[in-house]
Amino acid sequence: MLTETDLRNGLTTKRFGRKIFTFDSIDSTNACAKALAGCWAAEGTVVLAEYQTAGRGRLGRSWHSNPGDNLTFTVILRPSLTPSSVNILPLFTAVAVADAIESYCGVKTDCKWPNDLLVRNRKVAGILLEGSFKQEMVEYVVIGIGLNVNQEQFPPEIAPRATSLRIASGAPVDRPKLFREIMTTIEQQYDRLTVEGYDSIIPRWLARSVIIGKKIEVSQDGTVLGGVVRGIGAEGSLLLDTGEGVRSLVAGDVTILEFEHASRD
Ligand code: BTN
């Protein structure tokens, strides 16, 4: 079981990870972080669990993770953003976590819109953002990160599409050290974002993206829309050229139809 002491040992951040609530088992770290954020927990507060009984994924799915193998945690943010701009934050988080993975484990990590991280075209991490809005502004946002670190076996239904850092690197990964690298990177890049503007994340996300110029299908509320990805809009939307014009999509599930060519060099 990871403890707050293990996780914070040597951590030099000022806000991110200065307070960490750790649990052996919890329903969902996102649910707990929302409750804490509603009680004025500080920005940068983290909730981490070894096991979630009701881990949440995007689009109403659940998130399963082997206890003791991975990192499943949620960070509280209090950004000065309007609700329509929060969709930039999953892109920000994806880039920060990918940078931390590459710098700590040396594993090349790609971003897939909107919230996934891929290693060799397989999902290594998912990000789930939930927020509370008051008077046209964001009151708080919780960013949940499920990162497959040392898990070696996956349930058959996801096994062909899932991977972990251990599988990719061939060696076990020290979870507290990786967690500290993630906290440090998120803090540095978040502070930079507030100076450079939230849009500055887009070119950095694009540099890690595997979908620009690719033929994809986006499923959204039971409908499937096909097209070629032209870019990312200012607030993190996906610009999809359907052949009848470019549509700006804010949510959906992407299937890349040309996946064999879809990795960055
Ligand atoms: C997805 O890919 O669908 C997003 C998965 C997000 C999972 C993480 S695990 C920690 C946090 N707590 C949750 O209940 N979900 C997120």
Side-chain angles (χ1 to χ4, degrees), residues 28-30 52 55-58 63 73-74 123 126-127 144-146:
S28 154
T29 56
N30 267 28
Q52 298 182 110
R56 303 173 181 172
R58 287 180 55 244
W63 181 263
F73 63 99
T74 302
K123 182 159 169 170
I127 294 163
I145 301 167

Side-chain angles (χ1 to χ4, degrees), residues 3-12 17-18 20 176-177 179-180:
T3 63
E4 181 175 14
T5 313
D6 295 333
L7 293 163
R8 286 194 46 202
N9 182 15
L11 184 69
T12 56
R18 296 320 295 174
I20 308 172
K177 284 189 182 160
F179 174 82
R180 288 193 285 276

